[in-house]
Every structure is written in structure tokens, then in C-alpha cells.
Amino acid sequence: LKQERHNEISELYLNFNNMKHCLQNMLESTRESLYVANRLLEEQRKNAAMEQALETEKNQKDFWIQKADTDAFTGVLNRAAFARKMQEYCEKGSEDLSKRNFVALFMIDMDNFKGVNDTLGHLGGDAALQYLAGTLKDLFSKNGFAGRIGGDEFAGFCYNVEDLEHVEQIASKLCKIMNRKMYYQNKECTLSVSTGVVIIECKDQEINLYELADQALYAVKNCGKNHYKIVDHAFHTENETE
């Protein structure tokens, strides 16, 4: 009987030791797992912080690029940014050999702007320019962009031009919107714009878009203003309207 009790006690002791070792191993494993988990969590926090810093830096960079490209007075592109973006789209279109790519340049002047300033005052004249800029931003928001060349001279650029009618619609709508009465501090003045447009295929790099659009613009001004003229080197027609 004593021997049996001794054997039972020995077995219990052995089982206890085995259980103790198992618990120690489990505890050690848990500690290692917690350590690894903490390291991973810390690494994740560092990565998240780095991503946030990079995103903030990118947003700041984009902000300053946009600010550098924008005409502060009107909110459209400035002259240099407009020319750069237009060149980029023309080059991209000429490199794509899978299809024909057409673009259109609009040169826009406010008619008799000196008279607008004289009638409404300089602040009223400024408001008229800002109204024109806002109109251009809306008209060229799809497949295009607008810019201020200087003074009362603006420009619009359309890419992915599908046909002459698309360009005519924009030019006609611009003239109709801008042909309006403007009131500023109990003063009244009639606004209007003249627009010269040239359409080309992107591969026609030898064509000077600015020169042709300017020629069309001044042809309009010499014929009474308040309308547009389109010179078409893509669809090979020419059109102008009141």
C-alpha cells in the first residue's frame, strides 16, 4: 500500500512538473507573441505617420504648384502655366498614333474694356474681368482649361475635340453669356467679348496656334466686335457668326 501511495505521489509530482513546464512554455510564448505584436503595432504606427507626412507634403506641394500656376486675380491659369499645359496636350496628342487628335485654342478679349473701366470704375472693371474668368472656367471645365494672358485678354483650350460643332457651341455660348448688362454701384455698362478660334490636328506642329487665333480675333474686332471667328485646320471649314 505504501508503495502504491508512493507511486501515485511520484506520478502526481511528475504530472505537476510537466504541467508547470507547459505553463512556463505557454507564458514564454505569450510574451514573445506580445513582443512581436507590439513591434508590429509600433511599425504600423510609424508607417501610418510616414504616410500621413508624405500625403501632407504632397498636398502642400500640389497647393504651391497650383498657386504658382494660377492667376491670383481671376483664378484661372496664368500665361506661363496655360502655355505649358497647352504644349503638353499637343505633344501628347501628336505622339498617340492610334487616332487623330484635335485641339482648339480660343483667344478672347473683352470689348471696349477702357470704356467699361471709365463707366464702372476700376473696381467695376475688375468685377467684369472676374465674371469673364468665371464664365471661362465653367465653359472649359470639361476637356479643357482657361487662362489669363494679360490685362483683359484671356484664352481657352479644348482637347479631344470631336467636331466643328463642339467648338462652335462653346464660342457661341461664350458670346451669348457675355453679351449682357452689368451693374456696379448704381452704374450700368454693356459687356461683350470678341473671340478668335483655331482648330488643328495635334500632329500639325508647324502651325502657330497663337498667331492664327490672334489673327482671327483681330478680324472679329475689325468687323464690329461681339462675335467670334473660327479658323479650322482640322475639319477644313471657316465660320463666323454674330
Short mmCIF file of all heavy atoms in Angstrom, two decimals, residues 153-200:
data_model
loop_
_atom_site.label_atom_id
_atom_site.label_comp_id
_atom_site.label_asym_id
_atom_site.label_seq_id
_atom_site.Cartn_x
_atom_site.Cartn_y
_atom_site.Cartn_z
N GLU A 153 -7.20 90.21 -71.75
CA GLU A 153 -7.07 89.15 -72.76
C GLU A 153 -6.99 87.79 -72.07
O GLU A 153 -6.15 87.57 -71.19
CB GLU A 153 -5.81 89.38 -73.62
CG GLU A 153 -5.70 88.39 -74.77
CD GLU A 153 -4.50 88.68 -75.67
OE1 GLU A 153 -3.67 89.53 -75.30
OE2 GLU A 153 -4.40 88.03 -76.72
N PHE A 154 -7.85 86.90 -72.49
CA PHE A 154 -7.94 85.56 -71.92
C PHE A 154 -7.81 84.52 -73.03
O PHE A 154 -7.84 84.85 -74.22
CB PHE A 154 -9.26 85.36 -71.18
CG PHE A 154 -9.40 86.17 -69.93
CD1 PHE A 154 -9.72 87.53 -69.99
CD2 PHE A 154 -9.21 85.59 -68.69
CE1 PHE A 154 -9.84 88.28 -68.83
CE2 PHE A 154 -9.33 86.33 -67.52
CZ PHE A 154 -9.65 87.67 -67.60
N ALA A 155 -7.67 83.26 -72.62
CA ALA A 155 -7.57 82.18 -73.59
C ALA A 155 -8.26 80.94 -73.04
O ALA A 155 -8.37 80.74 -71.83
CB ALA A 155 -6.10 81.86 -73.90
N GLY A 156 -8.74 80.12 -73.94
CA GLY A 156 -9.32 78.83 -73.58
C GLY A 156 -8.75 77.76 -74.49
O GLY A 156 -8.40 78.03 -75.65
N PHE A 157 -8.62 76.56 -73.97
CA PHE A 157 -8.05 75.46 -74.75
C PHE A 157 -8.92 74.23 -74.59
O PHE A 157 -9.30 73.87 -73.46
CB PHE A 157 -6.62 75.15 -74.27
CG PHE A 157 -5.93 74.08 -75.07
CD1 PHE A 157 -5.42 74.36 -76.33
CD2 PHE A 157 -5.78 72.80 -74.56
CE1 PHE A 157 -4.78 73.38 -77.07
CE2 PHE A 157 -5.15 71.81 -75.29
CZ PHE A 157 -4.64 72.11 -76.55
N CYS A 158 -9.28 73.60 -75.70
CA CYS A 158 -10.06 72.37 -75.71
C CYS A 158 -9.23 71.25 -76.32
O CYS A 158 -8.63 71.42 -77.39
CB CYS A 158 -11.33 72.53 -76.53
SG CYS A 158 -12.66 73.39 -75.70
N TYR A 159 -9.20 70.10 -75.67
CA TYR A 159 -8.58 68.90 -76.25
C TYR A 159 -9.67 67.85 -76.45
O TYR A 159 -10.80 68.01 -76.00
CB TYR A 159 -7.46 68.37 -75.37
CG TYR A 159 -7.81 68.19 -73.91
CD1 TYR A 159 -8.36 67.01 -73.44
CD2 TYR A 159 -7.58 69.22 -72.99
CE1 TYR A 159 -8.69 66.84 -72.10
CE2 TYR A 159 -7.91 69.06 -71.65
CZ TYR A 159 -8.46 67.88 -71.22
OH TYR A 159 -8.78 67.72 -69.90
N ASN A 160 -9.34 66.81 -77.18
CA ASN A 160 -10.31 65.77 -77.55
C ASN A 160 -11.51 66.38 -78.29
O ASN A 160 -12.66 66.00 -78.06
CB ASN A 160 -10.81 65.01 -76.31
CG ASN A 160 -9.70 64.23 -75.63
OD1 ASN A 160 -8.72 63.86 -76.26
ND2 ASN A 160 -9.85 63.98 -74.34
N VAL A 161 -11.23 67.35 -79.17
CA VAL A 161 -12.30 67.97 -79.96
C VAL A 161 -12.81 66.95 -80.97
O VAL A 161 -12.04 66.37 -81.74
CB VAL A 161 -11.77 69.22 -80.69
CG1 VAL A 161 -12.83 69.77 -81.64
CG2 VAL A 161 -11.36 70.29 -79.68
N GLU A 162 -14.12 66.73 -80.97
CA GLU A 162 -14.71 65.71 -81.83
C GLU A 162 -15.15 66.25 -83.18
O GLU A 162 -15.07 65.55 -84.20
CB GLU A 162 -15.90 65.06 -81.12
CG GLU A 162 -15.50 64.31 -79.85
CD GLU A 162 -16.69 63.67 -79.17
OE1 GLU A 162 -17.83 63.84 -79.67
OE2 GLU A 162 -16.49 62.99 -78.15
N ASP A 163 -15.63 67.49 -83.21
CA ASP A 163 -16.10 68.06 -84.47
C ASP A 163 -16.18 69.57 -84.34
O ASP A 163 -16.03 70.15 -83.26
CB ASP A 163 -17.46 67.48 -84.88
CG ASP A 163 -18.48 67.54 -83.75
OD1 ASP A 163 -18.49 68.55 -83.01
OD2 ASP A 163 -19.25 66.58 -83.59
N LEU A 164 -16.43 70.23 -85.49
CA LEU A 164 -16.52 71.68 -85.52
C LEU A 164 -17.68 72.19 -84.69
O LEU A 164 -17.59 73.24 -84.03
CB LEU A 164 -16.66 72.15 -86.98
CG LEU A 164 -16.83 73.64 -87.21
CD1 LEU A 164 -15.62 74.41 -86.70
CD2 LEU A 164 -17.07 73.92 -88.69
N GLU A 165 -18.78 71.46 -84.66
CA GLU A 165 -19.97 71.88 -83.92
C GLU A 165 -19.67 72.06 -82.44
O GLU A 165 -20.18 72.99 -81.80
CB GLU A 165 -21.08 70.86 -84.11
CG GLU A 165 -22.39 71.26 -83.43
CD GLU A 165 -23.48 70.23 -83.62
OE1 GLU A 165 -23.20 69.18 -84.24
OE2 GLU A 165 -24.60 70.46 -83.13
N HIS A 166 -18.84 71.19 -81.89
CA HIS A 166 -18.46 71.29 -80.48
C HIS A 166 -17.80 72.63 -80.19
O HIS A 166 -18.13 73.31 -79.20
CB HIS A 166 -17.51 70.13 -80.14
CG HIS A 166 -16.95 70.18 -78.77
ND1 HIS A 166 -15.69 69.72 -78.45
CD2 HIS A 166 -17.44 70.68 -77.60
CE1 HIS A 166 -15.45 69.91 -77.18
NE2 HIS A 166 -16.49 70.48 -76.63
N VAL A 167 -16.90 73.05 -81.05
CA VAL A 167 -16.19 74.32 -80.88
C VAL A 167 -17.15 75.49 -81.08
O VAL A 167 -17.12 76.48 -80.34
CB VAL A 167 -15.01 74.41 -81.86
CG1 VAL A 167 -14.31 75.76 -81.75
CG2 VAL A 167 -14.02 73.28 -81.59
N GLU A 168 -18.01 75.39 -82.07
CA GLU A 168 -18.99 76.45 -82.33
C GLU A 168 -19.91 76.67 -81.14
O GLU A 168 -20.25 77.81 -80.80
CB GLU A 168 -19.82 76.12 -83.57
CG GLU A 168 -19.06 76.24 -84.88
CD GLU A 168 -19.93 75.86 -86.07
OE1 GLU A 168 -20.83 75.01 -85.90
OE2 GLU A 168 -19.70 76.42 -87.15
N GLN A 169 -20.32 75.59 -80.52
CA GLN A 169 -21.22 75.70 -79.36
C GLN A 169 -20.57 76.47 -78.22
O GLN A 169 -21.21 77.31 -77.57
CB GLN A 169 -21.62 74.31 -78.88
CG GLN A 169 -22.61 73.61 -79.80
CD GLN A 169 -22.89 72.17 -79.38
OE1 GLN A 169 -22.20 71.62 -78.50
NE2 GLN A 169 -23.88 71.55 -79.98
N ILE A 170 -19.28 76.19 -77.97
CA ILE A 170 -18.58 76.90 -76.90
C ILE A 170 -18.43 78.37 -77.23
O ILE A 170 -18.72 79.25 -76.40
CB ILE A 170 -17.20 76.26 -76.65
CG1 ILE A 170 -17.35 74.83 -76.14
CG2 ILE A 170 -16.40 77.10 -75.65
CD1 ILE A 170 -16.04 74.09 -76.00
N ALA A 171 -17.99 78.68 -78.46
CA ALA A 171 -17.78 80.07 -78.86
C ALA A 171 -19.10 80.85 -78.84
O ALA A 171 -19.16 81.99 -78.36
CB ALA A 171 -17.15 80.13 -80.25
N SER A 172 -20.17 80.23 -79.34
CA SER A 172 -21.48 80.89 -79.36
C SER A 172 -22.00 81.12 -77.96
O SER A 172 -22.51 82.20 -77.63
CB SER A 172 -22.46 80.03 -80.17
OG SER A 172 -23.75 80.61 -80.14
N LYS A 173 -21.87 80.14 -77.10
CA LYS A 173 -22.36 80.27 -75.72
C LYS A 173 -21.59 81.35 -74.98
O LYS A 173 -22.18 82.12 -74.21
CB LYS A 173 -22.23 78.93 -75.00
CG LYS A 173 -22.91 78.89 -73.65
CD LYS A 173 -22.91 77.49 -73.06
CE LYS A 173 -23.66 77.44 -71.74
NZ LYS A 173 -23.68 76.07 -71.16
N LEU A 174 -20.28 81.42 -75.21
CA LEU A 174 -19.47 82.45 -74.56
C LEU A 174 -19.95 83.84 -74.95
O LEU A 174 -20.14 84.72 -74.09
CB LEU A 174 -18.00 82.27 -74.94
CG LEU A 174 -17.04 83.38 -74.51
CD1 LEU A 174 -17.03 83.53 -72.99
CD2 LEU A 174 -15.64 83.12 -75.05
N CYS A 175 -20.15 84.06 -76.25
CA CYS A 175 -20.60 85.38 -76.70
C CYS A 175 -21.97 85.72 -76.13
O CYS A 175 -22.22 86.87 -75.74
CB CYS A 175 -20.64 85.42 -78.23
SG CYS A 175 -18.99 85.48 -79.00
N LYS A 176 -22.88 84.74 -76.08
CA LYS A 176 -24.22 85.00 -75.56
C LYS A 176 -24.20 85.32 -74.07
O LYS A 176 -24.90 86.22 -73.59
CB LYS A 176 -25.12 83.80 -75.83
CG LYS A 176 -25.49 83.64 -77.30
CD LYS A 176 -26.34 82.39 -77.53
CE LYS A 176 -26.69 82.25 -79.00
NZ LYS A 176 -27.46 81.01 -79.28
N ILE A 177 -23.40 84.58 -73.31
CA ILE A 177 -23.33 84.82 -71.86
C ILE A 177 -22.75 86.19 -71.56
O ILE A 177 -23.23 86.92 -70.68
CB ILE A 177 -22.49 83.72 -71.17
CG1 ILE A 177 -23.21 82.38 -71.22
CG2 ILE A 177 -22.19 84.10 -69.72
CD1 ILE A 177 -22.39 81.22 -70.69
N MET A 178 -21.71 86.57 -72.31
CA MET A 178 -21.01 87.82 -72.01
C MET A 178 -21.69 89.04 -72.61
O MET A 178 -21.36 90.17 -72.24
CB MET A 178 -19.56 87.73 -72.51
CG MET A 178 -18.69 86.77 -71.73
SD MET A 178 -18.66 87.11 -69.93
CE MET A 178 -18.05 88.80 -69.89
N ASN A 179 -22.62 88.85 -73.54
CA ASN A 179 -23.34 89.99 -74.11
C ASN A 179 -24.48 90.36 -73.15
O ASN A 179 -25.62 89.90 -73.29
CB ASN A 179 -23.88 89.61 -75.49
CG ASN A 179 -24.48 90.81 -76.20
OD1 ASN A 179 -24.28 91.96 -75.81
ND2 ASN A 179 -25.22 90.54 -77.26
N ARG A 180 -24.16 91.19 -72.17
CA ARG A 180 -25.11 91.44 -71.08
C ARG A 180 -24.87 92.81 -70.46
O ARG A 180 -23.81 93.44 -70.65
CB ARG A 180 -24.95 90.38 -69.99
CG ARG A 180 -23.57 90.43 -69.32
CD ARG A 180 -23.35 89.30 -68.34
NE ARG A 180 -24.22 89.38 -67.20
CZ ARG A 180 -23.92 90.04 -66.07
NH1 ARG A 180 -22.75 90.66 -65.96
NH2 ARG A 180 -24.77 90.06 -65.07
N LYS A 181 -25.86 93.25 -69.71
CA LYS A 181 -25.71 94.46 -68.92
C LYS A 181 -25.03 94.10 -67.60
O LYS A 181 -25.32 93.07 -67.00
CB LYS A 181 -27.08 95.08 -68.61
CG LYS A 181 -27.85 95.56 -69.83
CD LYS A 181 -27.32 96.86 -70.35
CE LYS A 181 -28.24 97.40 -71.45
NZ LYS A 181 -27.72 98.68 -72.02
N MET A 182 -24.14 94.96 -67.16
CA MET A 182 -23.51 94.76 -65.86
C MET A 182 -23.75 96.00 -65.02
O MET A 182 -23.60 97.13 -65.50
CB MET A 182 -22.01 94.51 -66.00
CG MET A 182 -21.34 94.26 -64.67
SD MET A 182 -19.65 93.64 -64.83
CE MET A 182 -19.23 93.45 -63.10
N TYR A 183 -24.14 95.75 -63.78
CA TYR A 183 -24.42 96.85 -62.85
C TYR A 183 -23.40 96.79 -61.71
O TYR A 183 -23.15 95.74 -61.14
CB TYR A 183 -25.84 96.74 -62.29
CG TYR A 183 -26.90 96.76 -63.37
CD1 TYR A 183 -27.34 95.56 -63.94
CD2 TYR A 183 -27.44 97.95 -63.82
CE1 TYR A 183 -28.30 95.56 -64.94
CE2 TYR A 183 -28.41 97.96 -64.81
CZ TYR A 183 -28.83 96.77 -65.37
OH TYR A 183 -29.79 96.79 -66.36
N TYR A 184 -22.84 97.96 -61.41
CA TYR A 184 -21.88 98.01 -60.31
C TYR A 184 -22.02 99.36 -59.61
O TYR A 184 -21.81 100.42 -60.24
CB TYR A 184 -20.45 97.83 -60.83
CG TYR A 184 -19.42 97.69 -59.73
CD1 TYR A 184 -19.20 96.45 -59.12
CD2 TYR A 184 -18.68 98.78 -59.30
CE1 TYR A 184 -18.27 96.32 -58.10
CE2 TYR A 184 -17.75 98.65 -58.28
CZ TYR A 184 -17.55 97.42 -57.68
OH TYR A 184 -16.62 97.29 -56.68
N GLN A 185 -22.43 99.31 -58.36
CA GLN A 185 -22.59 100.52 -57.55
C GLN A 185 -23.45 101.57 -58.27
O GLN A 185 -23.02 102.71 -58.49
CB GLN A 185 -21.23 101.09 -57.16
CG GLN A 185 -20.44 100.17 -56.23
CD GLN A 185 -19.12 100.77 -55.78
OE1 GLN A 185 -18.68 101.78 -56.33
NE2 GLN A 185 -18.51 100.16 -54.79
N ASN A 186 -24.63 101.14 -58.69
CA ASN A 186 -25.61 102.01 -59.35
C ASN A 186 -25.14 102.53 -60.71
O ASN A 186 -25.71 103.51 -61.23
CB ASN A 186 -25.98 103.20 -58.45
CG ASN A 186 -26.62 102.74 -57.15
OD1 ASN A 186 -27.42 101.81 -57.14
ND2 ASN A 186 -26.26 103.40 -56.05
N LYS A 187 -24.14 101.90 -61.27
CA LYS A 187 -23.68 102.25 -62.61
C LYS A 187 -23.94 101.08 -63.55
O LYS A 187 -23.88 99.93 -63.14
CB LYS A 187 -22.19 102.61 -62.59
CG LYS A 187 -21.86 103.82 -61.73
CD LYS A 187 -20.37 104.05 -61.66
CE LYS A 187 -20.03 105.22 -60.74
NZ LYS A 187 -18.56 105.41 -60.62
N GLU A 188 -24.19 101.39 -64.81
CA GLU A 188 -24.58 100.36 -65.77
C GLU A 188 -23.66 100.41 -66.99
O GLU A 188 -23.28 101.49 -67.46
CB GLU A 188 -26.02 100.57 -66.22
CG GLU A 188 -26.49 99.63 -67.30
CD GLU A 188 -27.87 99.99 -67.80
OE1 GLU A 188 -28.70 100.44 -66.98
OE2 GLU A 188 -28.12 99.83 -69.01
N CYS A 189 -23.30 99.22 -67.49
CA CYS A 189 -22.45 99.14 -68.67
C CYS A 189 -22.79 97.86 -69.43
O CYS A 189 -23.14 96.84 -68.83
CB CYS A 189 -20.98 99.13 -68.26
SG CYS A 189 -19.83 99.16 -69.64
N THR A 190 -22.68 97.91 -70.76
CA THR A 190 -22.92 96.73 -71.58
C THR A 190 -21.59 96.02 -71.85
O THR A 190 -20.62 96.65 -72.30
CB THR A 190 -23.57 97.10 -72.92
OG1 THR A 190 -24.82 97.73 -72.66
CG2 THR A 190 -23.80 95.86 -73.78
N LEU A 191 -21.56 94.73 -71.57
CA LEU A 191 -20.36 93.93 -71.79
C LEU A 191 -20.51 93.11 -73.08
O LEU A 191 -21.61 92.78 -73.49
CB LEU A 191 -20.11 92.96 -70.64
CG LEU A 191 -19.96 93.54 -69.23
CD1 LEU A 191 -19.70 92.41 -68.24
CD2 LEU A 191 -18.84 94.57 -69.18
N SER A 192 -19.37 92.74 -73.65
CA SER A 192 -19.33 91.78 -74.75
C SER A 192 -17.89 91.35 -74.94
O SER A 192 -16.96 91.98 -74.42
CB SER A 192 -19.89 92.38 -76.06
OG SER A 192 -19.05 93.43 -76.52
N VAL A 193 -17.70 90.26 -75.67
CA VAL A 193 -16.34 89.78 -75.95
C VAL A 193 -16.21 89.45 -77.44
O VAL A 193 -17.19 89.16 -78.13
CB VAL A 193 -15.99 88.52 -75.13
CG1 VAL A 193 -15.95 88.84 -73.65
CG2 VAL A 193 -16.94 87.37 -75.42
N SER A 194 -14.98 89.52 -77.90
CA SER A 194 -14.63 89.05 -79.24
C SER A 194 -13.73 87.84 -79.09
O SER A 194 -12.88 87.79 -78.19
CB SER A 194 -13.90 90.15 -80.02
OG SER A 194 -14.75 91.25 -80.23
N THR A 195 -13.92 86.86 -79.97
CA THR A 195 -13.21 85.59 -79.81
C THR A 195 -12.67 85.11 -81.16
O THR A 195 -13.41 85.07 -82.15
CB THR A 195 -14.14 84.51 -79.24
OG1 THR A 195 -14.70 84.97 -78.01
CG2 THR A 195 -13.38 83.22 -78.98
N GLY A 196 -11.40 84.76 -81.17
CA GLY A 196 -10.79 84.12 -82.34
C GLY A 196 -10.40 82.71 -81.97
O GLY A 196 -9.80 82.47 -80.91
N VAL A 197 -10.75 81.76 -82.83
CA VAL A 197 -10.53 80.34 -82.53
C VAL A 197 -9.79 79.68 -83.69
O VAL A 197 -10.07 79.96 -84.86
CB VAL A 197 -11.87 79.60 -82.30
CG1 VAL A 197 -11.61 78.19 -81.76
CG2 VAL A 197 -12.78 80.38 -81.37
N VAL A 198 -8.87 78.80 -83.36
CA VAL A 198 -8.22 77.97 -84.38
C VAL A 198 -8.27 76.52 -83.93
O VAL A 198 -8.05 76.22 -82.75
CB VAL A 198 -6.77 78.42 -84.65
CG1 VAL A 198 -5.92 78.34 -83.39
CG2 VAL A 198 -6.15 77.60 -85.77
N ILE A 199 -8.60 75.64 -84.87
CA ILE A 199 -8.65 74.19 -84.60
C ILE A 199 -7.58 73.53 -85.44
O ILE A 199 -7.47 73.78 -86.66
CB ILE A 199 -10.02 73.58 -84.98
CG1 ILE A 199 -11.17 74.39 -84.38
CG2 ILE A 199 -10.11 72.13 -84.53
CD1 ILE A 199 -12.55 73.96 -84.89
N ILE A 200 -6.79 72.66 -84.81
CA ILE A 200 -5.77 71.93 -85.56
C ILE A 200 -5.75 70.47 -85.11
O ILE A 200 -6.28 70.11 -84.07
CB ILE A 200 -4.35 72.53 -85.37
CG1 ILE A 200 -3.86 72.29 -83.93
CG2 ILE A 200 -4.30 73.98 -85.76
CD1 ILE A 200 -2.37 72.48 -83.75
#
